Amino acid sequence: MNDKVVDLDTAISLVQPGDAIHIVTNHSRWTAAARHLVRHWWGNDPEFTLVMLSLSSLGTLFFKGQLVKKVITGYSGDVFPNFSPNPWFGDAYLRGDVEVEHWSFLTFLQRLEAAARGLPALVTGSLVDSSMADNDGFAYVDSPFGGKVGLLAPYAPDIALLHAPVADRHGNVALNAPSLEGVWGALAARRGAIVTVEKIVDDIRPWSHLVQIPAHQVAALVEAPMGAHPGGLFTRDTPVEPYGEDLDFWSDVAAISRSDDFDHWIDEWVLAPANQDEYLSKLGQKRITALRAKADPDSWKADAQANPPDLEAPIGSWERAAVYGARHLASQVVVHGADAVLAGAGVANLATWLGVRLAREQGTDVALTAELGLWDYEPTPADPFVFNHRSFPTATMLTDSDRVLGLLVGSPQTTLLACLGAAQIDVNGNINSTLIPDKAFLVGSGGGNDVASRADSIVVVATLTPRRTLSEVPYITSPGKHVHSFATDLGIFEKDEHDRFELTHIAPGDGSIQERITTIEQLCGWELSVAKDLKELAPPHASEIEALRTWDPQGRFLRPDAS
């Protein structure tokens, strides 16, 4: 068999102008090959199509360098220090400088799967009743077996880039779950995959149970230690030392991409390092050692000690929303006899963690799951992110989005609830996290559409503001059919017999109940309907606030109220 091992320069020379380049997003979310691609083509206007499930802050490099004419994605925004829009993406999309196709996470990977399998289409349960149903690659058609079915057209990129722990010299590549989108894009790529790995071995057979990409589909193989940085790498059962996420690096990129120092940062971190050795020298051994230590499943203890929760600070609006949402979610787990609850992003994630804890205290065995590919896992203190690698070893199943979003969510054999956030939500529970036409680009669907389309019941958690609540959202990212509750800092809304939200629970606070209803009416963007048997919520308990602040002691999601 051919020896596929080359250096980064040789590997990236396989990319051609006009290529559709798929950067595979697994639990590490980056590859040294992507950085080197930017360096190689900087300033040359190659008119790439960037195919990337989640762009994250480093995706801005392709926009800043004017390397892309089109993007196919499920999420365009920052992930660290919190999930938020990034102006490099939004401004380019709104101006029309870069064409964009928005997909949900599941449908993004299902199109790649269809191409990899050589199928003319793949069935999906997502997108119906959303604005993405208008995408050219989706059709909702009559089934010869009765009813209607959603179909996705296949999509094959020209070349794929990804990072993995280990491969042999021929290009047989072993990867660890959780793997988010999996390897469908690498298997579908017309000219194969450029793969960076931590270690190249002579014989891959001791790890054959982890091999997911066969040698014939690998165009080039590069040994690049720490090649997922600033992402981390979970390497259980491989001959490779793991490392954790570099949250400080991700946060720095998000901040500096908005500053006048972005050009200098790019020169220093992207254009100057000629190879991975120079990049690691720039990173420094002290930082590398710290990141490797962070991969220890018990390393959260040091983080928790360094960041104790402030239990004396006033309770904020986001914390109240999270507590009320968690309690309501726990009650729904009991009512539905739910097998699992899927955690959304940000505060919804924290509300899910607390809700699952409360439901278990009531005697349920409900499992906690996440679209990344985690099933029945436990969060660790001092890290509120779903990409927290310390939680991976706690899971009873490590898998991918295909299995979580495409099988367990919506399965007749699994009762699954979910807790989601919302940039905008309307009176029928439709969620917009994508676009305010001609005004602002938000971030996109992520897995939200897939969950909203198929979960048994959904609780949305957010603060109540006029900008968030509308009579009708201008873009439907996630349809409201299964959104049955909306928990806020001031009260809980539930669907009435007309499938519209009405206020069923009101939070404690200053003034009479009627005065508090008036406040809610002023903040609510739709005509307020109040249930006849309106109930008053109990105030947040100290133990609930302690749990939330223990998970998020730095307030990355639990932002304090503006003074």
Side-chain angles (χ1 to χ4, degrees):
M1 295 179 72
N2 293 334
D3 189 321
K4 302 288 181 65
V5 180
V6 296
D7 59 22
L8 274 173
D9 284 328
T10 303
I12 293 304
S13 70
L14 299 176
V15 178
Q16 301 172 8
D19 272 351
I21 303 168
H22 176 42
I23 300 178
V24 177
T25 306
N26 51 36
H27 69 256
S28 60
R29 296 174 296 112
W30 192 244
T31 165
R35 185 187 72 250
H36 209 71
L37 176 71
V38 171
R39 181 181 186 271
H40 181 85
W41 286 98
W42 192 262
N44 288 314
D45 193 22
E47 296 190 331
F48 293 140
T49 293
L50 179 61
V51 185
M52 193 171 182
L53 183 79
S54 176
L55 295 188
S56 71
S57 305
L58 285 171
T60 59
L61 296 171
F62 290 90
F63 288 66
K64 174 67 172 174
Q66 298 181 333
L67 305 180
V68 293
K69 67 174 183 178
K70 182 177 180 179
V71 169
I72 300 173
T73 187
Y75 180 88
S76 300
D78 299 319
V79 175
F80 302 108
N82 48 53
F83 296 90
S84 59
N86 188 295
W88 277 104
F89 306 131
D91 291 350
Y93 297 158
L94 291 175
R95 288 194 306 261
D97 295 344
V98 176
E99 181 186 353
V100 60
E101 281 186 23
H102 303 296
W103 296 91
S104 68
F105 276 3
L106 180 61
T107 56
F108 177 99
L109 69 89
Q110 285 179 319
R111 295 190 69 202
L112 298 170
E113 179 183 354
R117 291 184 182 277
L119 298 175
L122 203 69
V123 173
T124 188
S126 302
L127 301 191
V128 177
D129 295 328
S130 78
S131 297
M132 289 178 287
D134 295 331
N135 287 359
D136 288 340
F138 175 77
Y140 194 49
V141 301
D142 292 325
S143 167
F145 306 108
K148 300 188 71 120
V149 64
L151 293 179
L152 294 165
Y155 184 85
D158 293 305
I159 202 157
L161 278 60
L162 78 153
H163 189 75
V166 62
D168 65 17
R169 303 188 67 85
H170 309 298
N172 295 295
V173 181
L175 297 99
N176 292 84
S179 47
L180 195 55
E181 69 173 87
V183 296
W184 291 117
L187 297 176
R190 293 184 179 93
R191 301 202 308 275
I194 296 172
V195 181
T196 56
V197 294
E198 299 290 316
K199 186 175 183 177
I200 295 172
V201 297
D202 292 327
D203 186 359
I204 198 67
R205 283 173 292 188
W207 306 281
S208 59
H209 59 296
L210 297 176
V211 172
Q212 297 185 46
I213 304 174
H216 72 270
Q217 190 57 19
V218 173
L221 181 67
V222 182
E223 191 169 74
M226 297 284 293
H229 183 269
L233 195 66
F234 184 64
T235 63
R236 188 165 63 187
D237 297 333
T238 71
V240 169
E241 188 177 2
Y243 46 95
E245 289 269 356
D246 194 337
L247 300 188
D248 290 338
F249 194 99
W250 282 115
S251 299
D252 288 346
V253 178
I256 213 158
S257 70
R258 294 164 165 81
S259 77
D260 294 335
D261 294 329
F262 198 24
D263 286 318
H264 175 74
W265 185 92
I266 292 169
D267 286 339
E268 184 179 7
W269 284 98
V270 180
L271 303 182
N275 51 50
Q276 187 67 1
D277 287 341
E278 290 186 17
Y279 181 82
L280 294 182
S281 178
K282 171 69 180 170
L283 197 61
Q285 190 56 51
K286 181 178 180 181
R287 192 168 193 165
I288 292 171
T289 300
L291 292 173
R292 292 203 182 280
K294 191 177 179 182
D296 186 323
D298 290 329
S299 65
W300 63 265
K301 295 177 181 178
D303 289 349
Q305 187 174 9
N307 299 283
D310 180 0
L311 302 181
E312 303 300 322
I315 298 174
S317 299
W318 281 105
E319 290 174 318
R320 286 193 290 272
V323 167
Y324 301 145
R327 292 177 184 168
H328 189 70
L329 181 63
S331 71
Q332 294 303 298
V333 168
V334 174
V335 168
H336 289 272
D339 299 300
V341 178
L342 186 140
V347 173
N349 189 34
L350 296 172
T352 306
W353 292 354
L354 180 59
V356 166
R357 174 180 289 187
L358 296 176
R360 289 172 178 171
E361 290 174 356
Q362 296 177 50
T364 75
D365 293 322
V366 66
L368 179 64
T369 186
E371 64 190 28
L372 170 65
L374 301 177
W375 181 265
D376 195 20
Y377 75 99
E378 296 296 328
T380 65
D383 193 334
F385 295 105
V386 71
F387 287 99
N388 172 17
H389 291 204
R390 278 82 63 95
S391 67
F392 294 176
T394 71
T396 60
M397 178 168 60
L398 294 175
T399 180
D400 56 24
S401 293
D402 201 6
R403 180 161 295 187
V404 173
L405 297 178
L407 174 61
L408 295 168
V409 176
S411 166
Q413 284 72 44
T414 304
T415 301
L416 187 142
L417 311 186
C419 184
L420 302 177
Q424 291 184 325
I425 185 170
D426 66 24
V427 69
N428 299 115
N430 297 307
I431 296 169
N432 177 22
S433 62
T434 304
L435 179 68
I436 302 174
D438 301 321
K439 291 185 178 180
F441 175 80
L442 302 173
V443 292
S445 169
N449 176 279
D450 309 304
V451 175
S453 298
R454 302 277 286 162
D456 292 282
S457 184
I458 294 162
V459 178
V460 171
V461 174
T463 54
L464 185 66
T465 69
R467 294 179 61 184
R468 191 185 313 281
T469 52
L470 306 171
S471 57
E472 183 178 353
V473 293
Y475 184 103
I476 299 176
T477 306
S478 303
K481 180 179 179 180
H482 299 291
V483 178
H484 295 146
S485 310
F486 175 37
T488 78
D489 52 320
L490 299 180
I492 297 174
F493 298 81
E494 296 178 88
K495 292 282 189 70
D496 63 15
E497 66 273 17
H498 305 294
D499 201 37
R500 294 170 61 88
F501 280 133
E502 67 175 2
L503 184 67
T504 59
H505 297 76
I506 193 165
D510 297 333
S512 66
I513 288 180
Q514 186 55 53
E515 288 172 331
R516 280 177 268 154
I517 291 174
T518 300
T519 298
I520 292 173
E521 191 170 26
Q522 292 169 346
L523 293 173
C524 188
W526 58 72
E527 184 177 351
L528 183 65
S529 174
V530 181
K532 293 180 180 179
D533 58 342
L534 179 68
K535 299 177 177 63
E536 188 167 16
L537 296 164
H541 192 273
S543 62
E544 295 167 323
I545 298 301
E546 181 177 3
L548 292 173
R549 292 182 183 178
T550 297
W551 287 317
D552 186 16
Q554 296 174 279
R556 295 183 184 273
F557 300 133
L558 299 172
R559 299 183 296 274
D561 294 342
S563 55

